[in-house]
Amino acid sequence: MPDACTLPTAERPLRTAEFEATVATSARAVHRQDATTVRVELAPDAAAAARVADLAVREGTCCSFFTFTLTTSGGGLHLDIAVPAGYVPVLDALAASLAGGRR
């Protein structure tokens, strides 16, 4: 798998909008865990988990540098989004977009 985004350029704004919409409807908070990881705290329900899992699988298919980890524990649900150090600017842009989508 290439270590870059293979999503056609024209589709990238649509995927970004899909992430923002998912966060706007499901996220409770967006936190920076460390330089290479962002955590999105989600509403703990099956529908949110299914939407986020589907989106993460599709995004991971076209952008192999992302690692998505969807976890449920103690009644909570969160999505960790991690990248290698060379992709921190991409994560920064995604984190800013997701935080903006919560407004």
Side-chain angles (χ1 to χ4, degrees):
M1 213 181 292
D3 196 23
C5 183
T6 61
L7 189 67
T9 302
E11 293 180 29
R12 291 177 189 177
L14 299 173
R15 182 65 55 83
T16 299
E18 188 175 3
F19 263 102
E20 290 173 351
T22 298
V23 168
T25 60
S26 301
R28 294 180 170 173
V30 178
H31 305 282
R32 193 62 175 248
Q33 296 295 97
D34 57 43
T36 61
T37 308
V38 169
R39 174 169 285 178
V40 182
E41 300 289 340
L42 301 160
D45 66 68
R51 281 192 308 274
V52 170
D54 174 65
L55 185 56
V57 167
R58 287 185 289 121
E59 186 66 13
T61 299
C62 65
C63 294
S64 63
F65 55 86
F66 280 118
T67 299
F68 297 98
T69 306
L70 185 61
T71 306
T72 181
S73 66
L77 177 67
H78 64 265
L79 176 68
D80 288 339
I81 306 169
V83 297
Y87 288 92
V88 167
V90 176
L91 184 64
D92 292 343
L94 179 60
S97 174
L98 295 176
R102 291 195 66 249
R103 291 185 184 132

